[in-house]
Amino acid sequence: MKNGKIFSYTLNTIIIFALGYFLFNNVHLFKNLLNINTIDIALIIIMQAIYLWFAGYSSYLIGIKLGVKIKDFFALQIANRFFNLILPSGGAVFRAIYLKNVYKLSYSKYVTLLLGTYLVTIFTSATISLVIIIYLLNIKATRSLQTIAATLIAIIIASLFIFRTKPFKTTKWKISKNINKVIQGWEKIKKHKKLIGFLILLSIISLIILAARLYIILPATGTGASITQACFLAIITFLTTVISITPGNIGVREILFAASSHTIGIGYEEAIFASLVLRVISYILPLTTGPFIYRNMQNRITKNLRNEKI
């Protein structure tokens, strides 16, 4: 655990210095901030709230028989964003604690809930990115065969998990029993084909919302991006919700934006700067509402613990 913290702090320090160095050497990009108006910021925040509602609704549909209220799933999405700004995976830990104490949701069922949303996210993102890459290849905008190969692998792996995962023979080790519980939970979920189809539809809508946010911010930060380019970067943003190795995933999305900028034909400096500006705007909602939501949820946890002692 200690080594993990040292690695996390070291990585965060390196990323912050790297981003600081990038901004210092690209001061000219800041003049583009004058192109961002209040309406743009308001639209991005509203779309972020809608996106979080869809994410909460997806979790609600997967765990509809768990008795968790939909408003709690939405509130947990904001709390998740708030805690992830402080600690990597901090939001996931808080969600697990809250659902365990308030709704008596076991950790294995919680992991099943996460597994369902993550698998649908990966499958949807990989499929749409493949379509976009094929389109870009068709118009000779890129020759990134490696990206196509990676996308195909992601689709295959996600498909195997979604359609082929089966419980295995458990051993004496507790971890194997817990993994089996998760798989058994997913077995029940994936039998509902209409549910999986609807979750994929919600994921597509979420991607459209992310693409719309990027389509607003990219021109304002000096990048004349097309809808196709905004969609591709939206997929990267979508996938980074699954990865959490730094607080708020700072640096992760920026590195992926820079790495893929050549693929979609935009400058890596503008792509990184656009990601940073969008990141700052995206902090407004969780930082202004997250502490209040956390306080309310923490009070419910405390109340439940007191009732159990009586």
Side-chain angles (χ1 to χ4, degrees), residues 5 30 37 43 61 76 107-108 187 226 262 267 276 297 305:
K5 286 184 177 180
F30 282 95
N37 56 50
L43 283 173
L61 289 176
L76 282 169
Y107 292 127
S108 61
E187 276 282 298
S226 66
H262 175 69
L276 289 172
M297 290 185 157
L305 291 174

Side-chain angles (χ1 to χ4, degrees), residues 2 38 41 74 78 185 218 236 240 248 265 276 291:
K2 186 177 180 181
T38 307
I41 295 173
F74 174 65
I78 297 178
L218 285 169
I236 293 174
T240 56
L276 289 172

Side-chain angles (χ1 to χ4, degrees), residues 243-257:
I243 308 166
S244 186
I245 58 175
T246 61
N249 266 342
I250 187 166
V252 176
R253 186 175 68 190
E254 285 72 23
I255 291 171
L256 293 174
F257 269 32

Side-chain angles (χ1 to χ4, degrees), residues 4 32 75 86 124 160-161 176 180 195-196 209 268 281 304 309:
N32 295 320
I86 304 170
T124 307
L160 286 173
F161 269 107
S176 71
N180 236 14
L195 172 61
I196 298 297
I209 294 171
Y268 78 90
I281 297 173
N304 273 34
K309 292 180 180 179

Side-chain angles (χ1 to χ4, degrees), residues 124-135:
T124 307
S125 301
T127 305
I128 295 176
S129 63
L130 179 62
V131 173
I132 292 174
I133 290 169
I134 291 173
Y135 169 75

Side-chain angles (χ1 to χ4, degrees), residues 277-292:
V277 173
L278 185 60
R279 180 181 294 281
V280 172
I281 297 173
S282 298
Y283 285 168
I284 295 174
L285 182 63
L287 286 177
T288 53
T289 61
F292 300 102

Side-chain angles (χ1 to χ4, degrees), residues 94-118:
F94 178 74
R95 282 187 290 172
I97 293 172
Y98 180 79
L99 293 172
K100 174 74 172 177
N101 285 276
V102 176
Y103 289 99
K104 310 304 176 188
L105 186 68
S106 66
Y107 292 127
S108 61
K109 288 184 177 179
Y110 171 68
V111 173
T112 302
L113 197 67
L114 284 182
L115 179 67
T117 54
Y118 286 169

